[in-house]
Amino acid sequence: MMGYWGFGLLGPVTMILFWGGIVALIVWTVRAASPRANDARTTGSNALEILQQRYARGEITKEEFETIRKDIR
C-alpha cells in the first residue's frame, strides 16, 4: 500500500508524457517522410535560380551555365 501512495501523482504524469512522446514521434516520422511542394530537392525552378546565382557570382562561365541549364530543363 505504501508504494501506491508514493507514485500517486507520478503515474498519470508519466503516462501523459509517454503517450505524448509516442504521438510526437509519429507526427515527426510522417512529416519527415512526406514530400514537400516547396522543397528545393523536388523543384527544378530552384535549381535554375541557384544556377543563375552561381553565374552572377562568377563561379561558372557562360558556356557552363548554358550546358547546365540545358541539363536542368
Side-chain angles (χ1 to χ4, degrees):
M1 195 78 170
M2 288 295 250
Y4 173 75
W5 291 106
F7 294 103
L9 292 176
L10 188 60
V13 171
T14 304
M15 187 61 71
I16 290 170
L17 289 174
F18 173 78
W19 286 111
I22 295 295
V23 169
L25 182 64
I26 291 170
V27 169
W28 177 79
T29 303
V30 169
R31 291 187 73 187
S34 67
R36 296 180 185 101
N38 60 356
D39 194 351
R41 295 173 291 182
T42 60
T43 58
S45 63
N46 285 339
L48 185 57
E49 290 171 10
I50 293 170
L51 181 64
Q52 290 169 339
Q53 291 170 0
R54 288 185 63 199
Y55 179 64
R57 287 191 299 257
E59 294 178 7
I60 58 175
T61 65
K62 183 172 180 158
E63 293 79 23
E64 290 173 320
F65 174 81
E66 294 296 330
T67 303
I68 296 170
R69 187 173 57 98
K70 288 177 187 175
D71 289 343
I72 290 174
R73 292 184 177 179

